[in-house]
């Protein structure tokens, strides 16, 4: 019997945008994952600052953006842990919950490749799951050669095998926050329910 596959998609999602949901959909199709779980981080260790929107608002925006998305769900497991959010802890938790018969894929955008060797217990993480790097609009195609010395040839080869082809969608949460602070339109970057939520709650206005 084929192993079950699930994709975990971690990020700050401050806010979640159409780039996130569209690449997640394409990734799930390519991996043949039955489920994609969106996991907002309390605080990304490498960003080094807390998100602008509250944990509750970010989780609620994810729920609004994925409603009706086939196989999409959200987990607050990292929000309930103390910051920072380490991916290896989350992967282990899901592996335990789903059992050894399930293959775990962790989705990440190509912009994360440069920093990869700084991730907490990165060797263990690469061994524990499929770190699936997705193409990201505005960034170079993923290339792992620079990590050869730090990670070794077997892990680099595994990363290369796990690259997934997703559409290039040049949207970022930073640009959305900046545009909102400047009173500019962001509707083409967000799902309508998330846009309405941001307006109703007055999120990301200039301080
Ligand atoms: P910010 O601009 O605040 O850094 P972001 O848009 O990069 O935010 P995150 O929540 O940090 O969004 O991203 C979560 C994950 O999704 C990361 O692995 C990131 O690389 C990936 N990602 C975000 N936007 C895209 C996109 N447009 N295409 C592909 N991957 C993306």
């Amino acid at each position: 019997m084929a192993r079950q596959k699930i994709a975990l998609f971690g990020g700050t999602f401050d806010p979640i945008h159409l780039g996130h949901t569209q690449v997640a959909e394409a990734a799930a199709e390519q991996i043949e994952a039955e489920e994609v779980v969106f996991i907002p981080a309390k605080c990304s260790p490498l960003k080094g600052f807390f998100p602008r929107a509250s944990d509750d608002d970010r989780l609620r925006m994810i729920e609004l953006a994925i409603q009706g998305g086939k196989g999409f769900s959200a987990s607050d497991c990292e929000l309930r842990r103390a910051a920072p959010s380490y991916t290896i802890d989350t992967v282990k938790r899901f592996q335990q919950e789903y059992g050894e018969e399930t293959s775990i894929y962790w989705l990440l955008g190509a912009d994360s490749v440069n920093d990869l060797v700084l991730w907490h217990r990165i060797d263990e993480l690469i061994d524990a799951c499929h770190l699936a790097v997705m193409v990201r609009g505005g960034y170079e195609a993923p290339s792992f050669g620079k990590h050869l010395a730090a990670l070794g040839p077997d892990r680099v080869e595994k990363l290369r095998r796990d690259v997934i082809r997703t559409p290039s969608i040049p949207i970022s949460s930073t640009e959305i926050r900046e545009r909102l602070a400047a009173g500019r339109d962001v509707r083409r970057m967000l799902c309508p329910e998330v846009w309405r939520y941001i307006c109703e709650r007055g999120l990301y206005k200039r301080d």
Side-chain angles (χ1 to χ4, degrees):
M1 204 176 81
R3 284 168 72 87
Q4 186 192 16
K5 297 170 179 173
I6 65 159
L8 306 180
F9 194 12
T12 37
F13 301 115
D14 189 24
I16 187 167
H17 52 67
L18 292 177
H20 293 127
T21 45
Q22 287 174 12
V23 295
E25 209 174 294
E29 203 179 303
Q30 204 173 317
I31 294 167
E32 298 182 335
E34 291 177 21
E35 233 183 299
V36 180
V37 187
F38 289 74
I39 308 174
K42 189 135 195 98
C43 175
S44 157
L46 293 176
K47 283 192 179 168
F49 53 87
F50 278 89
R52 276 283 308 276
S54 70
D55 294 353
D56 286 350
D57 281 333
R58 289 183 297 123
L59 183 62
R60 184 67 195 128
M61 289 189 280
I62 293 172
E63 289 166 351
L64 290 169
I66 65 175
Q67 61 191 1
K70 200 167 136 264
F72 281 4
S73 63
S75 165
D76 65 354
C77 65
E78 290 195 356
L79 300 179
R80 285 187 276 106
R81 287 204 309 258
S85 312
Y86 291 125
T87 304
I88 183 68
D89 299 332
T90 307
V91 165
K92 290 202 156 179
R93 177 199 172 278
F94 274 88
Q95 191 73 73
Q96 204 170 21
E97 186 183 328
Y98 281 75
E100 290 306 319
E101 284 313 302
T102 298
S103 297
I104 307 253
Y105 287 73
W106 184 274
L107 306 180
L108 67 162
D111 56 304
S112 309
V113 168
N114 279 342
D115 286 349
L116 213 50
V117 289
L118 303 178
W119 284 33
H120 187 59
R121 288 154 57 200
I122 182 64
D123 289 2
E124 204 184 325
L125 179 63
I126 295 171
D127 297 344
C129 70
H130 296 273
L131 266 192
V133 177
M134 306 176 293
V135 172
R136 180 161 184 181
Y139 292 86
E140 278 175 33
S143 122
F144 304 97
K146 55 184 162 297
H147 298 322
L148 207 51
L151 300 175
D154 292 348
R155 292 196 176 96
V156 163
E157 189 44 41
K158 186 174 183 208
L159 288 168
R160 283 190 182 130
R161 274 199 309 271
D162 284 331
V163 167
I164 42 186
R165 291 176 302 278
T166 46
S168 167
I169 304 165
I171 303 178
S172 75
S173 301
T174 302
E175 187 186 355
I176 293 169
R177 292 192 302 273
E178 285 172 0
R179 290 178 75 97
L180 283 163
R184 294 171 65 196
D185 191 15
V186 291
R187 273 174 289 186
R188 67 174 179 84
M189 302 174 179
L190 297 169
C191 103
E193 289 77 11
V194 172
W195 182 72
R196 264 198 297 279
Y197 186 87
I198 287 173
C199 295
E200 278 163 22
R201 305 266 304 157
L203 302 181
Y204 308 113
K205 286 196 172 140
R206 198 184 297 282
D207 291 331

